[in-house]
Amino acid sequence: MNSIAQALFTFALLASGVAARPSPHDVFNDLMAPEEPLKRSAEASLKQVSDFGANTSKVKMYIYVPDKLAEKPPIIVAIHYCTGTASGYYNGSPYAKLADQKGFIVIYPESPYSGTCWDVSSRSSLTHNGGGNSNSIANMVTYALDKYKGDATKVFVTGSSSGAMMTNVMAATYPEMFAAAIVYSGTAAGCFYSTSGGADQWNNSCANGQARGTPQVWAKMVFDMYPDYAGARPKMQIYHGSSDSTLAPANYNETIKEWCGVFGYDYTKPDSTKPNSPASRYTTYAWGDKLVGIYAQGVGHTVPIRGSDDMAYFGL
């Protein structure tokens, strides 16, 4: 993983420091109006699973299995923000309600750290099967696929803020596991890398948008997280608000550059640009069939979850 450190050095980053963590915020669903959820039985509730496999980083696993489970159910991993919890994201995001309608399973990991941000800084979490948070979350997916006879071709990951950062990390460290990922207000995978190797370290330079690199440098960081992998990678959808004061809007550009580098797209030349899509003052950019960027003018931290659109992107 020394190559990650070398790549970050090319940014000439300022020394990382501990900054105030993001303050609590709501994850609203005011841009979607799903049908009323089915009346749930006592069985259909958020439940903790403690025996899902190796978990050296001590991440907690919670799972929601609806009453009417699809045959070979898809799985969505929904990752909470700093200050959040699995139950908070279960109640504050639309995925459980949508699971009632569509029969998929939702996994809600919960951070083990004070402040409940995710470890997107340590080498262990930024390495395939490295024993960090990403490894624990991947083991949750493997457990659910086996126990519920899930569809391994329909596994998806999404998250908000720190959970969005972890979503990018999951797509980088376990590309074989996910068909698609949706990132709500995050940073590029590897941007929070700690040169001291610390877990759950806050990185001022990245958060403030000072970590800049070429698509090739960013892509190398992704490739180095799983250097022996040469297979397909999940398609990516990246949301960010222009008024984000927690994770600066420049992080949108760097995340787009990262995945353009991975997929071989020219980030300066999107194939399509759609103003006022999917909502007023949002602009949607698309590169090939693997990358969509959605920039929300005037929106802060975080961009509201668009559950119906998420289902369309996941093909559910």
Side-chain angles (χ1 to χ4, degrees):
M1 292 293 292
N2 288 338
S3 54
I4 289 183
Q6 292 169 357
L8 281 171
F9 181 75
T10 66
F11 295 139
L13 293 181
L14 301 175
S16 298
V18 177
R21 296 300 180 100
S23 57
H25 60 277
D26 292 322
V27 180
F28 294 109
N29 188 33
D30 57 357
L31 298 180
M32 101 168 232
E35 300 171 11
E36 285 298 313
L38 301 175
K39 187 175 182 179
R40 296 171 182 164
S41 70
E43 280 298 305
S45 60
L46 187 67
K47 295 182 178 180
Q48 185 172 3
V49 177
S50 58
D51 57 349
F52 59 86
N55 184 26
T56 56
S57 69
K58 300 181 180 179
V59 179
K60 295 178 181 179
M61 176 183 180
Y62 292 84
I63 193 167
Y64 179 70
V65 181
D67 285 322
K68 293 187 177 180
L69 192 60
E71 185 177 358
K72 291 191 68 176
I75 295 173
I76 293 178
V77 181
I79 310 178
H80 67 71
Y81 42 84
C82 289
T83 76
T85 61
S87 62
Y89 213 49
Y90 166 76
N91 288 305
S93 65
Y95 303 114
K97 293 179 181 179
L98 291 162
D100 286 339
Q101 298 169 26
K102 297 176 179 293
F104 58 79
I105 291 168
V106 191
I107 295 171
Y108 297 92
E110 185 170 291
S111 166
Y113 308 108
S114 173
T116 67
C117 293
W118 290 97
D119 175 18
V120 291
S121 61
S122 74
R123 292 184 180 183
S124 61
S125 199
L126 297 175
T127 306
H128 180 81
N129 290 342
N133 285 181
S134 60
N135 201 164
S136 294
I137 294 171
N139 289 343
M140 296 175 192
V141 173
T142 301
Y143 165 88
L145 285 170
D146 181 61
K147 181 173 178 62
Y148 297 100
K149 297 179 173 56
D151 188 343
T153 69
K154 295 181 179 179
V155 179
F156 311 98
V157 59
T158 186
S160 300
S161 188
S162 182
M165 296 158 71
M166 179 54 76
T167 297
N168 275 320
V169 169
M170 294 307 300
T173 53
Y174 292 90
E176 79 287 5
M177 182 167 279
F178 300 102
I182 299 177
V183 176
Y184 282 99
S185 308
T187 65
C191 189
F192 260 49
Y193 174 70
S194 169
T195 55
S196 67
D200 185 37
Q201 296 294 301
W202 188 257
N203 187 310
N204 279 333
S205 300
C206 179
N208 293 335
Q210 296 165 321
R212 309 292 176 92
T214 65
Q216 293 74 27
V217 167
W218 280 121
K220 187 176 186 303
M221 295 182 71
V222 171
F223 298 147
D224 287 344
M225 293 181 200
Y226 192 177
D228 297 329
Y229 185 72
R233 294 182 182 271
K235 64 179 185 176
M236 305 295 299
Q237 188 170 77
I238 313 299
Y239 284 89
H240 215 103
S242 71
S243 299
D244 192 333
S245 59
T246 301
L247 298 173
N251 283 299
Y252 167 81
N253 294 327
E254 300 309 304
T255 305
I256 292 296
K257 285 196 285 184
E258 179 171 68
W259 293 111
C260 277
V262 168
F263 295 130
Y265 300 142
D266 183 344
Y267 81 96
T268 67
K269 297 178 180 179
D271 295 321
S272 65
T273 301
K274 296 180 180 178
N276 295 315
S277 174
S280 176
R281 304 189 73 195
Y282 284 52
T283 303
T284 297
Y285 305 89
W287 292 261
D289 60 356
K290 284 284 194 176
L291 179 62
V292 175
I294 301 174
Y295 196 64
Q297 194 67 38
V299 176
H301 188 75
T302 64
V303 176
I305 294 172
R306 300 183 61 86
S308 297
D309 290 344
D310 287 4
M311 296 300 99
Y313 193 71
F314 289 155
L316 297 176

